[in-house]
């Protein structure tokens, strides 16, 4: 069995607007720039990673981040990623088709930060908006659990 690759992306910087629900917050202009930059970096690995699936929270800021990554992959909106804890995110990953070798998950803190640290046992000093982590797993998606991953790369805007 070959390794699985997971790219965990925290949505890029979002603005605040009085009266706007949290789920509707848009990216700032700097957030749009950071999401494009992250996408350029991730696409450089495209020949190695070749992600075919992006799992994305339904919020405006995560959907826009996923769009700006510019990946040639289908995007599935997953309600369970919004306001998720690491166990919720693991549940989403465990439902992934076993034939898929590389997945990008676009979500929110603290869940995505805690997912990266749980999977890899790595200590990360923060996971700011627009950050991403590349993780290799030597287990099928259905067996993804704390400690089953290896941190390959972390990038922060």
């Amino acid at each position: 069995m070959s390794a699985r690759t997971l790219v965990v992306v925290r949505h890029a910087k979002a603005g605040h607007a009085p009266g706007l629900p949290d789920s509707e917050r848009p990216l700032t202009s700097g957030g749009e720039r950071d999401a494009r930059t992250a996408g350029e970096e991730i696409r450089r690995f495209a020949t190695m990673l070749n992600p075919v699936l992006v799992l994305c929270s339904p919020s405006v800021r995560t959907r826009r981040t996923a769009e700006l990554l510019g990946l040639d992959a289908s995007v599935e909106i997953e309600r369970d990623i919004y306001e998720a804890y690491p166990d919720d995110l693991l549940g989403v990953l465990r439902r992934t088709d076993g034939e898929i070798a590389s997945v990008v998950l676009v979500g929110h803190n603290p869940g995505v930060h805690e997912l990266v640290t749980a999977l890899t046992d790595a200590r990360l000093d923060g996971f700011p908006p627009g950050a991403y982590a590349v993780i290799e797993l030597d287990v099928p998606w259905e067996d993804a659990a704390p400690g089953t991953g290896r941190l390959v790369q972390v990038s922060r805007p």
Side-chain angles (χ1 to χ4, degrees):
M1 178 194 63
S2 59
R4 307 278 188 265
T5 304
L6 171 64
V7 181
V8 178
V9 180
R10 181 178 176 193
H11 67 78
K13 182 141 179 72
H16 294 276
L20 196 62
D22 179 71
S23 64
E24 299 298 317
R25 291 175 40 220
L27 295 183
T28 63
S29 59
E32 296 235 348
R33 181 190 63 242
D34 290 345
R36 283 188 190 94
T37 300
E40 289 167 9
E41 292 174 8
I42 293 168
R43 287 191 311 271
R44 281 189 207 124
F45 293 106
T47 55
M48 177 183 74
L49 300 177
N50 194 25
V52 296
L53 177 62
V54 176
L55 300 170
C56 185
S57 162
S59 76
V60 168
R61 61 192 179 274
T62 49
R63 287 185 288 129
R64 182 66 176 148
T65 297
E67 177 185 340
L68 291 171
L69 292 176
L71 301 173
D72 186 20
S74 64
V75 176
E76 288 185 12
I77 303 303
E78 282 280 348
R79 171 68 185 99
D80 292 345
I81 297 174
Y82 187 70
E83 297 182 334
Y85 292 98
D87 285 346
D88 302 319
L89 297 174
L90 283 170
V92 170
L93 289 175
R94 289 179 187 132
R95 294 192 303 261
T96 300
D97 182 331
E99 298 297 312
I100 296 174
S102 185
V103 170
V104 175
L105 185 146
V106 183
H108 309 266
N109 259 7
V112 292
H113 181 189
E114 293 172 1
L115 175 67
V116 172
T117 59
L119 281 172
T120 65
D121 294 326
R123 295 198 190 280
L124 296 181
D125 186 24
F127 203 66
Y132 69 88
V134 180
I135 300 168
E136 283 186 357
L137 294 102
D138 290 323
V139 297
W141 297 117
E142 65 190 25
D143 296 332
T148 60
R150 181 176 66 84
L151 188 61
V152 175
Q153 177 184 348
V154 176
S155 180
R156 297 171 179 92

